[in-house]
Amino acid sequence: MSITIKNEKELNKMRKAGKILKDTLDLLESSVFPGQTTNNLNKIAFDYITSQGGKPSFLNYEGFPYTICASKNEQVVHGFCDDEPLKEGDIISIDCGVIWEGYHSDAARTFPVGNVSAENLRLIEVTKQSFFEGIKDIKAGSRLGHISHRIQAHLEKNGYGVVRELVGHGIGTHLHEDPMVPNYGKYNSGIVLEEGMTLAIEPMSTLGNKNVYLEDNDWTVSTQDGLPSAHYENTVLITKDGVEILTL
Ligand code: MG
Ligand code: MG
């Protein structure tokens, strides 16, 4: 699939998809506490998205069975929901997407459950920071590798692993479009970004070793060493002067 450039009419649909998703993630953030279950968080997300007239992007995507990916602790992405209560000290990454009139948004946050260790809080915070480092000074005419390089540099400077097996992506009428947006790479490499491109930029970090494996459910990706992982993602539009974040 080639890289798509969106016109203003398409972008307005993506902005609406992004707004519903942002509000969904805010609602989920206030719903994360010890004793809460991911099945319940999944229901909260489904109910809210559909009440706004949106459709969950992930539900039934290639057979994925939930509205949200709920990845606890050592799970990096694509965690399944269940009835196990969240425990004080857990961290949980929630990834979600919304379709509005055929256009997708995609975003993820990692939330602390109650009081969590300083080590885990820092992992969450630095992973979020790496997203903002990645988009710093980016605009039409910048190279894609600037984003990848800056995310990698920020995470590694802070002692974290950068997951290689999963990457960000273009987004539009499909949840996953070209180009791939790795969280590692060389400055001044890759395609030149153009006004109207929309990208899901999503650093995935690990507290320990960067190596991951696929769990038996054939979806969930977890760290090999069992140490925690964090994920932060937004859908962004490349503009003449910078970026517009559609999911904040
Ligand atoms: Mg996502
Ligand atoms: Mg994504």
Side-chain angles (χ1 to χ4, degrees):
M1 175 185 287
S2 58
I3 300 171
T4 56
I5 302 294
K6 281 80 179 180
N7 62 35
E8 202 54 30
K9 195 173 157 201
E10 294 174 290
L11 289 172
N12 281 334
K13 294 178 183 181
M14 292 190 70
R15 287 185 181 104
K16 176 72 178 177
K19 171 75 169 90
I20 297 171
L21 179 51
K22 184 235 179 253
D23 291 343
T24 303
L25 290 169
D26 286 350
L27 181 61
L28 291 170
E29 181 172 22
S30 64
S31 308
V32 167
F33 45 77
Q36 179 63 284
T37 69
T38 48
N39 269 341
N40 199 37
L41 293 172
N42 185 62
K43 183 176 185 314
I44 290 168
F46 178 86
D47 289 349
Y48 183 75
I49 292 167
T50 52
S51 78
Q52 299 303 301
K55 276 193 240 166
S57 294
F58 296 2
L59 185 60
N60 300 321
Y61 178 82
E62 293 182 1
F64 190 77
Y66 305 100
T67 293
I68 61 170
C69 300
S71 308
K72 297 173 192 171
N73 300 318
E74 76 284 358
Q75 296 178 336
V76 181
V77 289
H78 308 158
F80 276 21
C81 297
D82 58 30
D83 286 321
E84 195 184 317
L86 295 174
K87 296 189 303 289
E88 181 104 22
D90 283 345
I91 62 172
I92 181 163
S93 299
I94 297 180
D95 194 349
C96 191
V98 169
I99 308 170
W100 179 263
E101 294 183 358
Y103 286 80
H104 292 257
S105 59
D106 186 6
R109 309 278 181 261
T110 301
F111 300 125
V113 181
N115 290 310
V116 311
S117 69
E119 193 175 46
N120 283 353
L121 266 189
R122 184 172 169 271
L123 177 70
I124 292 172
E125 186 53 34
V126 170
T127 304
K128 179 179 177 179
Q129 280 170 10
S130 75
F131 166 86
F132 290 97
E133 283 294 316
I135 60 168
K136 204 160 79 178
D137 304 326
I138 293 297
K139 59 185 179 192
S142 304
R143 308 278 297 260
L144 181 71
H146 292 18
I147 301 172
S148 306
H149 176 79
R150 284 175 171 153
I151 290 172
Q152 178 181 19
H154 190 71
L155 291 174
E156 290 182 349
K157 184 177 78 183
N158 281 280
Y160 299 133
V162 178
V163 174
R164 301 295 200 274
E165 286 79 355
L166 299 139
V167 296
H169 48 92
I171 180 169
T173 54
H174 295 80
L175 178 59
H176 296 113
E177 299 185 354
D178 280 340
M180 291 201 291
V181 185
N183 297 309
Y184 56 93
K186 286 197 170 64
Y187 200 75
N188 240 337
S189 70
I191 62 156
V192 174
L193 301 174
E194 291 174 45
E195 196 176 346
M197 283 182 183
T198 44
L199 306 173
I201 300 171
E202 48 181 314
M204 288 159 257
S205 65
T206 62
L207 187 64
N209 194 287
K210 68 178 187 300
N211 296 333
V212 296
Y213 73 100
L214 188 63
E215 289 190 19
D216 288 342
N217 64 20
D218 277 340
W219 274 104
T220 308
V221 174
S222 295
T223 61
Q224 280 183 9
D225 60 14
L227 291 174
S229 170
H231 186 198
Y232 185 86
E233 175 182 27
N234 283 304
T235 298
V236 308
L237 162 68
I238 306 298
T239 69
K240 192 154 59 72
D241 307 312
V243 300
E244 178 184 332
I245 303 175
L246 305 183
T247 46
L248 274 184

